[in-house]
Amino acid sequence: MTTAFYSDERCFWHGGGNYAFTLPVGGAVQPLAGGLPENPETKRRLRNLIEVTGLIDHLSQRKAAPATWQDMARVHPETYLTAFKAMSDAGGGELGLRTPFGKGGFEIAALSAGLASAALADVLAGRARNAYALSRPPGHHCLPDWPNGFCLLNNIGIAIRAAQAAGLVRRVAVVDWDVHHGNGTEAVFWNDPDVLTISLHQDRNYPQDTGGIEARGGSAGLGANINLPLPPGTGHTGYLQVMDRVVLPALHRFAPEVIIVACGFDASAVDPLGRMLATADTFRQMTRTVMAAADSLCAGRLVLVHEGGYSEVYVPFCGHAVLEELSGSTVRAVDPMAVSLAGKQPDARFDAFLSTWITDLATAHGL
Ligand code: ZN
């Protein structure tokens, strides 16, 4: 059985807007050549690295059809889709917060959602053991009717609803380790007891007003949303602890048929949009953890969908480590930052503080 890898050059052609980092250009804000931190290089360089090392030859490279209008409409209201398509056809623009797109941006966003959907469908149908979708634009901040945080369609939401509609699956768990709260995915499945959404994120980073532990889902979905806000400075040992002490027990309690990871790399120690200290090895070991959970709970069925990660230099090495682990390949990309990051691990006092914090999270969620 293989590890399938879904990508499409056209996803790297998404762009638009006149930003200097996260600030709209104008007034005293000088234009910046790189534009938004969510730019093609953060993803394209991951694809380039797996080609350079040869890891790509150990993966099953696949394309996918764009998500259909019907697929998108299971998650997003027709009014939003119609407005998005019309603005995209007319040359592009912006409908939410920091979500600019150019002409044809609608079709690229549909393709990004299509990569995630194909990855999930192929794993559920037994056409791959596990899968990685290099989706761009990302999806986890996109609410049903409001795009934000670089996200224009909720890729994972669309993929899950399509798989459920096809009769491929009912119970799904989403583990979101992007450094930002997965507020869009939380919103899509807020009332749904069949989709467990777990988000590990830096406390009150983005969005600043969501992601608290008290947000546990609504009506029948109560308890099926688990927010795990973590303090700035959480690093390798902290992430592994929260996976072992909270995420794994939550997955076992829920017993999903498949696990999906919203795989952002912006918890890395050098990310410009996070204040965490994860390394490539952290992402490797978190992958190992969810693989073990998938093996014991759902015959290994595991899908990773790319989300954020804004260090053009380091994201590729984090992604390479994840793909090495997923595929079992022995091809390695030596982490060029491992030595310098090793000295940035938290000290004993911080570890003790974090251990108490994580115990409190587990207790709050009855784990
Ligand atoms: Zn993020």
Side-chain angles (χ1 to χ4, degrees), residues 31-102:
L32 183 70
L36 280 172
E38 202 297 295
N39 68 67
E41 287 300 281
T42 54
K43 283 81 179 174
R44 187 184 263 135
R45 288 172 65 110
L46 167 55
R47 203 197 138 80
N48 289 347
L49 182 63
I50 64 175
E51 287 193 3
V52 166
T53 62
L55 178 58
I56 200 165
D57 299 327
H58 297 233
L59 308 173
S60 170
Q61 298 179 61
R62 298 184 190 178
K63 299 285 183 196
T68 65
W69 187 276
Q70 184 187 26
D71 293 336
M72 293 184 266
R74 289 192 194 95
V75 171
H76 300 284
E78 299 265 352
T79 47
Y80 171 59
L81 295 175
T82 302
F84 182 10
K85 175 84 165 76
M87 188 177 280
S88 169
D89 288 349
E94 185 156 5
L95 289 164
L97 179 64
R98 299 191 194 105
T99 53
F101 53 90

Side-chain angles (χ1 to χ4, degrees), residues 205-216:
N205 177 321
Y206 185 87
Q208 290 183 344
D209 58 350
T210 66
I213 54 173
E214 72 288 350
R216 303 182 61 234

